[in-house]
Amino acid sequence: MEILKPAVAGTLESSDCMVTVEPGAGQIDLDLTSSVIRQFGPQIRKVIAETLDRLEVTDARVTVVDKGALDCTIKARVEAAVFRSNGIKQNIPWGGAIK
Amino acid sequence: MNPALNPNKKRLRRSMMFLNAQKPGLIKDPYVYGPDSIMLDLEDAVAMKEKDAARYSLFHALREINYRGVERVVRINGLDSDMWEEDIRCSVAGGCDSIRIPKTETAEDVKRVEAVVEASELQYGREPGSVLIMAALESAKGVLNALEICEASPRLFGIALSGGDYTKDLQTVITGTGVELMGARQHMIIAARAAGVQCFDTVWTNLNDMEGFRKDVETIKAMGFDGKSIINPRQIPIVHDIYTPTQKEIIFAEKVVKEIDEKSAQGIGVFTVDGKMIDIAFYDGAKRTLMLAKAAGKYKGNL
């Protein structure tokens, strides 16, 4: 998927994360801030990268502010931001690109 | 699977706790409070601009969080919205146990949901008949149509009163005395029993009045309700306490079940247990007493 316009999903509440996606400069640029970055930084980066990969996003600036979110929440917020950037709200590929 | 024979139709549902599907902090570990069911809400708890985001959150929670046997019901958006079909697809694909229909008014409402649930089971490889349905009645019309709603689908396991909207429709308010809910409660439990499905009471929203809450639960238990909708974990132990049979009731129920099993094998239909006349009509009630006792950890037998 292409990132058509900037989009945000998630909150800064505990156990959540806020994900912003913007059109990129030819690749994925990830800016990650996390309250648990020392312990979980690599795992969070991995989840974000895999989620973007499933959605076939190859060109985006991604900013994630993590407040101790579980993997399932990180995935959900990345997906919500990417689909929002495309204005898609129906016929989501549940169990396909979303899994 | 024939949905009418789905073993989950009759499962224990003393406490059904609402949780906002959009709040990761709420949905990550609600099983620690021990509710019988959670109702992950895509409807009123979720702001209009977060409806899309709530679905991704719900989908992954259903797929990845181990709710340890707690039933996972999803409350979808109303059938007057353009969201409810996508809500069902997301929920069924995620692996939910049941769908709760808000603002149900007719059997037709249940059938519309049933059709999308059925199609989604096929589409996402779920066992046909595995996803159940419950209907919330939130208006005078819905309450009056309780029986046709209860009989609308073999997937329907029960109906729930939603007191907030219902009292608005009656042009009154929730008083805390229950007087404004009397007719709906009585009508709904009769309809549910006539159709052989479960019946659940509305939420109690005043968390500062736990004594009033206890009385409310005692009332609906005495009326025959299977359980109560819950908005806060603090309410769960009170409901479970009220729905726990006494030791005397447990011993009697155990005797009744044993005796009926033995006597019916001998061809005897009516007999006495502790001086009380007993026949097959007591069997289901005694079984239910033992199920409630087991859930409360008060009965370790194998009946």
Side-chain angles (χ1 to χ4, degrees), chain B residues 12 14 243-245 287-297:
Chain B
L12 193 65
R14 298 163 297 178
Y243 273 87
T244 300
K287 275 281 198 189
R288 195 163 51 246
T289 299
L290 294 179
M291 186 166 80
L292 287 165
K294 264 185 202 167

Side-chain angles (χ1 to χ4, degrees), chain A residues 16-92:
Chain A
D16 203 348
C17 65
M18 186 179 268
V19 175
T20 309
V21 296
E22 294 163 278
Q27 75 279 331
I28 302 287
D29 290 307
L30 171 62
D31 177 10
L32 171 65
T33 318
S34 172
S35 50
V36 290
I37 198 149
R38 293 237 297 262
Q39 208 181 348
F40 294 110
Q43 172 64 14
I44 297 170
R45 285 176 186 280
K46 184 167 165 264
V47 171
I48 295 168
E50 286 171 355
T51 307
L52 292 171
D53 200 44
R54 274 196 295 276
L55 299 175
E56 295 175 10
V57 175
T58 53
D59 184 2
R61 263 182 54 206
V62 181
T63 311
V64 176
V65 182
D66 170 57
K67 296 290 177 182
L70 295 177
D71 288 0
C72 60
T73 302
I74 296 168
K75 281 192 220 176
R77 299 317 190 195
V78 171
E79 290 158 355
V82 170
F83 279 91
R84 278 178 176 180
S85 86
N86 282 264
I88 298 172
K89 291 191 171 179
Q90 302 274 352
N91 296 314
I92 305 297

Side-chain angles (χ1 to χ4, degrees), chain B residues 17-301:
Chain B
M17 183 162 71
F18 278 114
L19 294 167
N20 182 344
Q22 159 69 3
K23 298 260 184 197
L26 294 180
I27 62 177
K28 68 182 165 106
D29 55 4
Y31 50 83
V32 300
Y33 304 110
D36 291 329
S37 309
I38 52 170
M39 298 191 285
L40 297 152
D41 191 11
L42 295 173
E43 198 212 11
D44 288 353
V46 179
M48 198 49 80
K49 69 178 181 56
E50 296 296 342
K51 294 289 190 187
D52 58 333
R55 289 197 199 108
Y56 303 98
S57 167
L58 171 76
F59 177 84
H60 290 295
L62 287 172
R63 281 271 173 118
E64 289 165 46
I65 297 174
N66 177 359
Y67 286 101
R68 305 183 193 195
V70 174
E71 181 184 34
R72 299 143 323 143
V73 183
V74 177
R75 176 160 78 167
I76 58 171
N77 284 288
L79 306 194
D80 54 352
S81 74
D82 61 354
M83 298 175 282
W84 65 275
E85 290 164 292
E86 189 72 19
D87 290 346
I88 293 176
R89 286 192 284 269
C90 167
S91 306
V92 173
C96 75
D97 299 303
S98 317
I99 297 289
R100 176 177 166 125
I101 316 171
K103 303 185 175 68
T104 316
E105 295 208 311
T106 61
E108 187 51 36
D109 290 345
V110 178
K111 291 191 194 320
R112 288 171 73 196
V113 168
E114 180 186 46
V116 179
V117 166
E118 212 168 280
S120 300
E121 281 176 344
L122 272 178
Q123 187 178 351
Y124 299 108
R126 299 280 310 270
E127 189 185 352
S130 58
V131 179
L132 298 176
I133 295 173
M134 70 179 290
L137 313 188
E138 316 194 21
S139 65
K141 186 177 172 189
V143 168
L144 282 178
N145 287 339
L147 184 60
E148 69 162 59
I149 290 167
C150 288
E151 292 176 335
S153 164
R155 289 175 189 266
L156 190 123
F157 70 76
I159 51 173
L161 175 60
S162 188
D165 284 314
Y166 171 70
T167 48
K168 282 192 193 86
D169 200 26
L170 285 191
Q171 302 179 9
T172 179
V173 291
I174 299 276
T175 61
T177 64
V179 66
E180 69 285 356
L181 300 175
M182 272 184 347
R185 282 172 166 170
Q186 193 64 72
H187 182 72
M188 282 174 62
I189 184 72
I190 295 170
R193 294 299 178 240
V197 301
Q198 295 180 333
C199 195
F200 310 97
D201 192 45
T202 186
V203 295
W204 176 272
T205 54
N206 184 356
L207 292 172
N208 292 324
D209 183 7
M210 294 308 269
E211 202 39 52
F213 175 69
R214 178 176 278 277
K215 289 205 181 89
D216 200 45
V217 180
E218 282 167 354
T219 300
I220 58 120
K221 160 91 169 25
M223 292 183 80
F225 278 79
D226 293 273
K228 185 140 178 97
S229 308
I230 296 296
I231 52 155
N232 187 290
R234 282 165 54 208
Q235 297 177 322
I236 295 170
I238 297 176
V239 175
H240 289 190
D241 183 40
I242 290 166
Y243 273 87
T244 300
T246 63
Q247 204 55 40
K248 216 174 133 188
E249 288 167 334
I250 296 166
I251 292 167
F252 185 70
E254 193 178 20
K255 279 187 194 166
V256 168
V257 170
K258 272 188 186 153
E259 288 285 318
I260 292 177
D261 284 344
E262 277 174 26
K263 294 284 198 302
S264 63
Q266 298 166 18
I268 301 169
V270 181
F271 49 90
T272 59
V273 173
D274 295 350
K276 287 195 182 105
M277 195 194 85
I278 297 296
D279 59 22
I280 189 71
F282 286 81
Y283 195 77
D284 288 351
K287 275 281 198 189
R288 195 163 51 246
T289 299
L290 294 179
M291 186 166 80
L292 287 165
K294 264 185 202 167
K298 292 277 176 77
Y299 178 68
K300 310 276 187 219

